[in-house]
Amino acid sequence: MPSNPLPTDFIQRIHLAEERLRAVVNATPLLEFASLNQRVGGRVLLKPENLQRAGSFKIRGAYNAIAALPAANRQRGVIAWSSGNHAQGVALAAALFEVPATIVMPSDAPRVKREAVVALGAEIVAYDRYSEDREAIAKALARERQCPLIPSYDHWDVIAGQGSIGLEIMRDPALQGRAPDQVFVCCGGGGLAAGIATAVHESAPKVSVFAVEPDVADDTRRSLKAGKRLSNPAATASICDALLTPTPGRLTFPVNQRELSGVLTVSDEAALRAVGYAADELRLIVEHCGAVTLAAALGNTDLCANKTTVVTLSGGNIDSALLAKAITAQRGESSGRSD
Amino acid sequence: MPSNPLPTDFIQRIHLAEERLRAVVNATPLLEFASLNQRVGGRVLLKPENLQRAGSFKIRGAYNAIAALPAANRQRGVIAWSSGNHAQGVALAAALFEVPATIVMPSDAPRVKREAVVALGAEIVAYDRYSEDREAIAKALARERQCPLIPSYDHWDVIAGQGSIGLEIMRDPALQGRAPDQVFVCCGGGGLAAGIATAVHESAPKVSVFAVEPDVADDTRRSLKAGKRLSNPAATASICDALLTPTPGRLTFPVNQRELSGVLTVSDEAALRAVGYAADELRLIVEHCGAVTLAAALGNTDLCANKTTVVTLSGGNIDSALLAKAITAQRGESSGRSD
């Protein structure tokens, strides 16, 4: 396997991604809420990728990676494995290029997720998550069909696509040309964090970028401390399932080693509370994995006080029963809306 | 009672309102969704006042009206009657000025609404909605306490405050300096429509502004046709309760006669579907009254095709059970998300 070092033109690839994506993605302007500022004691600007096409930032990396393929390769179609947002992102991106997409998904994936992928025109190859290896299945399919694989984070064009968010943040009128003090980004494999941090630091090298992980899946936190890639225990469970990658990415980790100021961790309970807060107080539907950053801001007011913090909300694909549970818990907790 | 003709400096009062509100309200940038554009066949830009402080546009008119009071009058506190968003808007505005607020509310108003008003520090005077006249109670209180009343729409400073939305729309970067073809605004008493239409027409007199009403409470539609203010039947019921004003406003009607291009009407079922669409497809929580404009866009694709339509979402204060019902209905209808 090639070592795939950081391309010397990586920041240019992020700019190219942003250009490619401009006419494709939903513009997600920074949102500011007086009630959230008051609660945190500082200025909080939300980057709402829950409002993005197919409900998360994943369309960015997927579209950019497909755009970067030689046309002849692209025409044969693309393959990905994912049970979540990356599946929808790849399916939508392939549909926009009018090329076939095959998604390797667990046979017990929620109906709503399978249907969303099928509605976007992709083919699903099901596997048994207890006895089969999805990565091996996807790679065998890719060899057999001579189709390129679109990985969910360990791919420079995928990371560059997610990085377009960082360029958008820095240009947003809400910042009035002044860099924020810090940016919070959720972290599974680390592609979103690596892309955003690189993009933000191009124009504002002093901005602190913090990754946010579930406390039970803090592989990036421990890996940064150890200076090498460490794994999560195999049996790790969290409602933030999309952030349960086994280990930091091979490509993303060295970037995050250089770019991140630190890692904040969040409990499942805090993530659930943040989903309820976002829905009931801000009227935004955010999924658990997307709300860990908001939970980190709400839970670290010492770190956010008197600062400007950009909080990236990564997605909004949440089961309606879980959403209702989060809203009910929020309403039980607060006696009416405060603002 | 004075006739209260349109002030000659009314547009200046809208600009003054916008200045007063700039540091007070949440900035609500226009939002665009590729999936909504595709569905409607034109460009749709949402003005999301569901993300506004206290959950609706009402803070604008309330704050501006209180700001316009002579300081000595203001100190004694303000009085309003409302069971809904205006109650929260006045309570929050009074709290920001650190003056007392008294809200006349029905004794059977939902607990969550009463608690929200109390949490904002206002006093509630309860009345029996079947045997008592809330307007008479509020006016008697105002005389007794020598406190100014803040009406929900028939007041020039309230209308000017809501009009600030029109100025913000026209300046939003998403329009890139080009006026939209049309603007949809929900209509109860007509204050929001009168304010926005006046503000939009200052810089772009050719923009069509359409009011949107529940089909069972189409008093403004019928009144514009008849050239005089007509009433809704006394027993009118709709889930869009905040739009069930008995008749167009005395001040707002002549303005709307001059400014509106027409009125669109929406069924309760279509409003409920729009709430579900907004939550499930756009990840925005919008209340029924706030979603009638979105319902009008979804239901009038002939009118919206190949045009740029600004759709004002007026508020997001919705009961969580109703929200869950709307999402469930939406998911039953669509086979997975399409985009």
Side-chain angles (χ1 to χ4, degrees):
Chain A
M1 203 176 249
S3 67
N4 268 333
L6 180 70
T8 52
D9 65 341
F10 187 52
I11 187 70
Q12 277 74 43
R13 282 165 83 164
I14 301 180
H15 283 278
L16 175 59
E18 197 205 9
E19 257 173 65
R20 284 173 175 149
L21 290 167
R22 195 168 292 144
V24 173
V25 298
N26 291 342
T28 53
L30 292 177
L31 298 177
E32 184 172 10
F33 295 84
S35 55
L36 179 55
N37 288 350
Q38 279 164 21
R39 171 125 173 217
V40 163
R43 191 173 189 216
V44 178
L45 296 165
L46 303 180
K47 178 67 173 171
E49 287 289 299
N50 56 321
L51 309 180
Q52 193 47 267
R53 293 182 81 167
S56 88
F57 70 96
K58 290 288 190 182
I59 178 65
R60 296 176 182 262
Y63 186 93
N64 188 54
I66 297 177
L69 291 170
N73 285 15
R74 187 194 302 149
Q75 289 315 316
R76 287 196 291 269
V78 295
I79 293 176
W81 68 86
S82 164
S83 56
N85 289 334
H86 182 59
Q88 290 185 53
V90 171
L92 173 57
L96 292 170
F97 279 105
E98 300 181 346
V99 304
T102 305
I103 315 288
V104 179
M105 285 183 94
S107 48
D108 60 352
R111 189 178 66 96
V112 59
K113 292 197 174 179
R114 289 201 313 272
E115 285 180 349
V117 167
V118 170
L120 289 163
E123 177 197 352
I124 292 179
V125 171
Y127 74 98
D128 182 273
R129 72 162 93 212
Y130 304 103
S131 65
E132 294 185 286
D133 176 347
R134 63 182 187 172
E135 191 168 338
I137 294 172
K139 284 182 174 166
L141 265 178
R143 269 192 308 272
E144 182 190 313
R145 301 188 183 175
Q146 299 267 303
C147 286
L149 267 174
I150 310 291
S152 62
Y153 53 88
D154 246 347
H155 185 299
W156 292 119
D157 291 310
V158 172
I159 303 169
Q162 327 301 31
S164 63
I165 294 171
L167 299 180
E168 290 177 11
I169 288 171
M170 295 307 288
R171 225 187 25 243
D172 194 284
L175 283 172
Q176 300 175 297
R178 288 189 296 271
D181 296 297
Q182 51 196 10
V183 179
F184 289 2
V185 190
C186 69
C187 185
L192 184 62
I196 288 181
T198 305
V200 165
H201 287 155
E202 181 198 19
S203 61
K206 289 185 180 164
V207 174
S208 304
V209 179
F210 290 92
V212 183
E213 292 184 305
D215 54 8
V216 294
D218 61 342
D219 51 315
T220 293
R221 189 186 68 76
R222 288 181 293 107
S223 299
L224 288 177
K225 213 167 175 179
K228 60 178 179 181
R229 295 162 61 215
L230 300 177
S231 297
N232 289 313
T236 304
S238 163
I239 52 170
C240 301
D241 55 324
L243 302 178
L244 292 180
T245 42
T247 183
R250 202 167 43 86
L251 305 188
T252 58
F253 183 63
V255 177
N256 284 330
Q257 271 189 305
R258 200 182 52 234
E259 304 287 346
L260 296 186
S261 291
V263 178
L264 306 169
T265 59
V266 164
S267 69
D268 275 11
E269 295 68 37
L272 189 72
R273 277 201 304 274
V275 170
Y277 178 86
D280 199 42
E281 292 278 338
L282 311 181
R283 287 85 181 172
L284 293 173
I285 296 176
V286 186
E287 66 188 86
H288 297 82
C289 311
V292 292
T293 47
L294 178 59
L298 293 170
N300 292 278
T301 49
D302 50 335
L303 184 64
C304 298
N306 304 313
K307 288 186 186 150
T308 296
T309 306
V310 173
V311 168
T312 306
L313 304 175
S314 59
N317 292 327
I318 184 172
D319 178 74
S320 58
L322 256 182
L323 176 65
K325 184 181 159 193
I327 295 177
T328 305
Q330 167 74 14
R331 292 198 175 166
E333 192 173 284
S334 69
S335 62
R337 294 200 183 94
S338 59
D339 194 332
Chain B
M1 202 178 251
S3 66
N4 268 334
L6 180 70
T8 51
D9 65 342
F10 186 52
I11 187 70
Q12 276 75 43
R13 283 166 81 166
I14 301 180
H15 282 279
L16 176 59
E18 197 205 8
E19 257 173 64
R20 284 173 174 149
L21 290 167
R22 195 167 295 144
V24 173
V25 298
N26 291 343
T28 54
L30 292 177
L31 298 177
E32 184 171 11
F33 295 84
S35 55
L36 179 56
N37 288 350
Q38 278 163 22
R39 171 126 172 215
V40 163
R43 191 174 188 213
V44 178
L45 296 165
L46 303 180
K47 177 69 172 169
E49 287 289 299
N50 56 321
L51 308 181
Q52 193 47 268
R53 294 181 80 168
S56 88
F57 71 97
K58 290 288 189 182
I59 179 64
R60 296 176 181 263
Y63 186 93
N64 188 53
I66 296 177
L69 291 171
N73 285 17
R74 188 193 301 150
Q75 289 314 316
R76 286 195 293 269
V78 296
I79 292 176
W81 69 85
S82 163
S83 56
N85 289 335
H86 182 58
Q88 290 186 53
V90 171
L92 173 57
L96 292 171
F97 279 105
E98 300 183 344
V99 304
T102 306
I103 315 288
V104 179
M105 285 184 95
S107 48
D108 61 351
R111 187 178 68 95
V112 58
K113 291 196 174 182
R114 289 201 314 272
E115 285 180 348
V117 167
V118 170
L120 289 163
E123 178 197 351
I124 292 178
V125 171
Y127 74 98
D128 182 273
R129 72 163 93 212
Y130 304 103
S131 64
E132 294 184 286
D133 176 347
R134 63 183 187 171
E135 190 167 340
I137 294 171
K139 285 182 174 166
L141 265 179
R143 269 193 308 274
E144 184 189 311
R145 303 188 181 176
Q146 300 267 301
C147 286
L149 268 174
I150 309 292
S152 63
Y153 52 89
D154 247 348
H155 184 297
W156 291 119
D157 291 311
V158 171
I159 303 169
Q162 327 301 32
S164 63
I165 295 170
L167 299 180
E168 289 177 11
I169 288 170
M170 296 306 289
R171 224 188 25 244
D172 194 284
L175 283 171
Q176 300 175 298
R178 289 188 295 271
D181 296 296
Q182 51 196 11
V183 178
F184 290 1
V185 190
C186 69
C187 186
L192 184 63
I196 288 181
T198 304
V200 165
H201 287 154
E202 182 198 19
S203 61
K206 289 184 180 164
V207 174
S208 303
V209 180
F210 290 92
V212 183
E213 293 184 305
D215 54 8
V216 293
D218 62 342
D219 50 315
T220 294
R221 191 187 66 77
R222 288 180 294 106
S223 298
L224 288 176
K225 213 167 177 179
K228 60 178 180 180
R229 293 160 63 215
L230 300 176
S231 297
N232 289 314
T236 304
S238 164
I239 51 169
C240 301
D241 54 325
L243 302 178
L244 291 180
T245 43
T247 182
R250 202 166 44 83
L251 305 188
T252 57
F253 183 62
V255 177
N256 283 330
Q257 271 188 305
R258 199 183 52 233
E259 304 289 346
L260 296 187
S261 290
V263 178
L264 306 169
T265 59
V266 164
S267 69
D268 274 11
E269 294 69 37
L272 189 70
R273 277 200 304 274
V275 169
Y277 178 85
D280 198 42
E281 292 278 338
L282 311 181
R283 287 84 180 173
L284 292 172
I285 295 178
V286 187
E287 66 188 86
H288 298 83
C289 311
V292 292
T293 47
L294 178 59
L298 293 170
N300 292 278
T301 47
D302 50 335
L303 183 64
C304 298
N306 305 313
K307 287 185 187 151
T308 297
T309 306
V310 173
V311 167
T312 306
L313 304 175
S314 59
N317 292 326
I318 184 171
D319 179 75
S320 58
L322 256 181
L323 175 65
K325 185 180 159 192
I327 295 177
T328 306
Q330 167 74 17
R331 292 200 175 166
E333 193 171 284
S334 69
S335 63
R337 296 203 182 93
S338 58
D339 194 330

